[in-house]
Amino acid sequence: MVSPAPTRSRPSSHSTPDPAVSPRPARANPPQPHAADHPGRAGRFRLDPRTTTWQWSAEMFTVLGLPADSTRPCTESLLQAQHRDDRARTLAALERAVTTGRPFAFETRVQRRDGELRVVVLAGEPCYGEDGTVVAVDGTCLDLTAGRLAQDGDVVTALQTEVVQLRTAMASRATIEQAKGILMLLTSCSDQVAFELLAHMSSHTHRKVREVAQAIVDSASGAAPLPEDVKLILHDACPPPRRS
């Protein structure tokens, strides 16, 4: 099981608790068609590390080959759906995402109840609370089997591109979240205002938001000085206190 993190809970009417936390049953979703009928289908998931509750999209059940009307979304269900040799790696990736905020994207195998083996990519990205701790892990489970079996170069290339884009998006979002936290600390502003400040600096410096965010993170960590155009706008937003 993924260890709970000391963060605020984000309750949802669609959340389903892990059996080790609560015996309440999950809300049933309509049964879904077999994933083989929908090559490349991607399911979405969300993990709340404090309560260890999971939310799965209808497609998530389909990709894993699990019946939505009798499966409880939880860590154990996710692991049991995978090939036994891949379970430890999946659990370790979830643990790192929760405890260290490290995003992940890796290939694993789904072992269906009828014996069929599917190849999928699991990708997850931590989401941070106002105090900088991980409050959720959002992710995707993408079925790559159709491309692998067909050996179709175009299909494989398209799927590989999608995985790269997922990894890039996760890395960019993590950097933006870190930069927002730094701005919130410097200006005592809210999460939304911090993002608006990032967007403002982006539009006035002709840089992408992720580039501005990376510059702020690099400056805060001492890796690189803050660019002058970004520094000027940031100085106006949070000028140094006047001495009395």
Side-chain angles (χ1 to χ4, degrees), residues 6-221:
T7 57
R8 295 187 303 172
S9 173
R10 292 189 176 181
S12 167
S13 59
H14 299 286
S15 296
T16 304
D18 200 306
V21 177
S22 171
R24 291 178 296 174
R27 291 184 61 181
N29 292 314
Q32 298 296 315
H34 196 283
D37 299 328
H38 301 273
R41 168 165 281 182
R44 297 288 302 174
F45 63 82
R46 182 179 179 87
L47 166 65
D48 182 330
R50 190 188 72 84
T51 61
T52 64
T53 53
W54 289 77
Q55 299 172 56
W56 288 1
S57 68
E59 292 79 11
M60 186 70 177
F61 290 92
T62 304
V63 173
L64 297 178
L66 298 174
D69 56 354
S70 60
T71 300
R72 188 189 307 276
C74 62
T75 305
E76 185 64 21
S77 294
L78 176 63
L79 296 178
Q80 288 298 321
Q82 296 183 48
H83 190 282
R84 62 183 182 181
D85 292 340
D86 296 341
R87 294 170 185 170
R89 178 173 55 170
T90 299
L91 184 59
L94 290 170
E95 292 279 4
R96 285 194 299 269
V98 169
T99 58
T100 69
R102 179 178 176 182
F104 58 85
F106 61 90
E107 189 175 292
T108 183
R109 294 164 293 176
V110 168
Q111 184 75 60
R112 294 182 174 275
R113 295 181 179 181
D114 60 5
E116 181 185 7
L117 197 65
R118 309 289 294 182
V119 180
V120 305
V121 165
L122 274 177
E125 177 189 359
C127 301
Y128 298 91
E130 295 180 357
D131 60 354
T133 57
V134 176
V135 296
V137 178
D138 287 334
T140 302
C141 184
L142 177 66
D143 191 333
L144 301 178
T145 310
R148 289 296 178 84
L149 295 179
Q151 293 298 310
D152 186 320
D154 292 338
V155 173
V156 173
T157 299
L159 290 173
Q160 290 174 338
T161 300
E162 186 166 352
V163 171
V164 170
Q165 291 173 342
L166 279 170
R167 289 174 173 169
T168 302
M170 288 191 297
S172 297
R173 183 170 173 182
T175 301
I176 290 172
E177 291 297 325
Q178 291 178 45
K180 282 165 56 180
I182 294 170
L183 292 176
M184 291 165 65
L185 188 63
L186 290 174
T187 65
S188 299
C189 67
S190 66
D191 181 272
Q192 181 61 33
V193 172
F195 183 78
E196 292 173 355
L197 181 55
L198 278 176
H200 174 74
M201 287 188 283
S202 171
S203 64
H204 282 73
T205 62
H206 305 291
R207 302 170 187 263
K208 294 180 179 179
V209 171
R210 62 179 173 82
E211 293 174 351
V212 174
Q214 187 65 60
I216 292 173
V217 171
D218 288 345
S219 175
S221 64

